[in-house]
Amino acid sequence: MTKPRLWITRRLSDATLERAARDYDVVINHGDLPGTADEIIAASAEYDAIIPCHSEHFSADVVAQFSDRLKIVANHSVGVDHCDLPALKARGIAVTNTPDVLSDATAEIAMLLMLGAARLAVSGDRIVRSGAWDSWSPAFMVGKQVTGARLGIIGMGRVGRAFAAKARGFEMEIHYFNRTPLSQEQAHGAIYHDSIESVLAVSDFLSLHCPATPETTNLMNADRFAMLPEGAVVVNTARGALVDEDALLDALKSGRLAAAGLDCFKAEPGGNPAFAAHDTIFMLPHIGSATRQTRDAMGFRALDNLDAFFSGKTPGDLL
Ligand code: DGY
């Protein structure tokens, strides 16, 4: 039996690439640059399947130019905001993602950002590294304590819950907004709010864990930043689209926000150059899921979805 033709758009983990090469007639983009619209359109004529990352954009315009060969887009990501799902579905193309396997890694980065932002990690690192550390005083670099503080979580899906589990280790009082309340077993005492506004009012720390959709674009805007307690800390490991970045800067300048921890930006790669002047913003380059273990698990999950599809079963993560 001939193997399905598969295009892997980026340099996935070695274990993933080995398994893909064993089971598929695979072409790997070893150059590891994001696939362009033209490359994706051309691939739709040459391949039965694509494993893309969130760096490849399947917009309605791109999908409209597809040939008929492509049958499945098995994303190597949990987020699928880079895919126009209705357009792909209308072409009869199956789409899958990789939930679950990256929740802990992403929650770790959210914790790192929360602690780093609260405890002034950027200026602390800078002052030691630059040799400018020439005195000490009890008034020096006084941050905001995480232990026992109130944490608001917007979006209590898998990553939100993994983050809540880690935050419980810091004895945080957890409040959350989600489309539906969690069961008691899943909530572990976290307090449900039926509106975002109500969570904001009690969030000394706020962490965003919802998908980027038209409804959540600029979810954190000027009005909502103003609803946070004075001196709050905001963490975003979900998507840059959720935050109005000008409003975030204004909130920092006004003192409404003490600090922010960001792994995601409106413009990626690159981020927001206006943030660079602010040591109160602790930034990372979208590496929430970047651990060896998680990269293998994401790759294998994408391949599991492909295997199911090509053996006539419904992929576990079919969207
Ligand atoms: C995801 O899986 O959505 C992460 O942001 C990495 O792409």
Side-chain angles (χ1 to χ4, degrees):
M1 206 181 85
T2 55
K3 294 176 176 176
R5 285 210 84 208
L6 165 65
W7 182 39
I8 297 186
T9 64
R10 305 301 302 269
R11 196 175 187 325
L12 305 186
S13 79
D14 289 346
T16 305
L17 297 181
E18 270 168 39
R19 181 175 145 184
R22 185 192 66 193
D23 298 339
Y24 293 89
D25 176 6
V26 66
V27 171
I28 297 157
N29 173 17
H30 286 289
D32 202 24
L33 289 171
T36 64
D38 286 345
E39 286 168 334
I40 295 168
I41 292 163
S44 72
E46 293 168 36
Y47 298 93
D48 303 300
I50 303 179
I51 298 186
C53 294
H54 74 267
S55 48
E56 281 71 53
H57 297 275
F58 292 74
S59 65
D61 181 45
V62 165
V63 175
Q65 298 173 65
F66 273 8
S67 305
D68 286 335
R69 178 162 183 175
L70 184 67
K71 297 175 190 66
I72 176 166
V73 174
N75 286 293
H76 181 277
S77 65
V78 67
V80 289
D81 47 303
H82 57 289
C83 291
D84 191 309
L85 295 179
L88 285 159
K89 270 189 195 159
R91 293 296 300 250
I93 297 169
V95 183
T96 60
N97 67 343
T98 57
D100 296 318
V101 291
L102 46 66
S103 305
D104 279 321
T106 307
E108 283 177 10
I109 285 288
M111 186 54 75
L112 171 66
L113 288 170
M114 181 167 72
L115 291 168
R119 300 302 300 273
L120 314 174
V122 176
S123 26
D125 180 87
R126 186 195 302 288
I127 201 166
V128 181
R129 193 180 294 272
S130 66
W133 182 28
D134 57 3
S135 67
W136 185 91
S137 141
F140 176 56
M141 294 208 58
V142 176
K144 185 178 168 90
Q145 183 139 328
V146 168
T147 303
R150 297 173 300 177
L151 167 65
I153 296 180
I154 310 287
M156 266 294 216
R158 299 169 184 90
V159 181
R161 295 201 301 275
F163 183 55
K166 290 168 186 18
R168 279 196 293 277
F170 285 84
E171 297 157 35
M172 299 188 86
E173 179 184 297
I174 299 165
H175 297 255
Y176 73 99
F177 170 77
N178 200 42
R179 274 171 304 181
T180 48
L182 300 181
S183 66
Q184 262 190 338
E185 299 79 67
Q186 283 190 319
H188 292 285
I191 300 156
Y192 173 70
H193 293 248
D194 62 7
S195 74
I196 292 175
E197 288 69 22
S198 156
V199 175
L200 297 180
V202 293
S203 297
D204 301 316
F205 292 85
L206 179 78
S207 194
L208 307 178
H209 295 286
C210 49
T213 64
E215 295 74 45
T216 60
T217 301
N218 290 333
L219 177 139
M220 285 310 295
N221 55 23
D223 289 345
R224 288 210 170 116
F225 278 118
M227 292 174 194
L228 289 164
E230 195 78 18
V233 171
V234 168
V235 172
N236 185 12
T237 53
R239 284 292 185 265
L242 304 181
V243 175
D244 176 334
E245 294 183 342
D246 291 336
L248 181 134
L249 273 179
D250 289 343
L252 277 168
K253 286 177 196 157
S254 74
R256 172 63 56 182
L257 276 191
L262 307 174
D263 187 45
C264 299
F265 304 86
K266 285 250 194 277
E268 293 186 12
N272 186 334
F275 289 171
H278 299 267
D279 278 5
T280 47
I281 311 181
F282 183 21
M283 296 184 274
L284 293 172
H286 200 140
I287 54 166
S289 55
T291 68
R292 280 200 191 87
Q293 185 180 325
T294 295
R295 287 286 180 253
D296 281 348
M298 290 170 75
F300 279 24
R301 186 96 173 203
L303 287 170
D304 288 346
N305 285 319
L306 279 191
D307 293 352
F309 181 84
F310 286 110
S311 61
K313 298 185 195 123
T314 304
D317 304 311
L318 186 68
L319 296 167

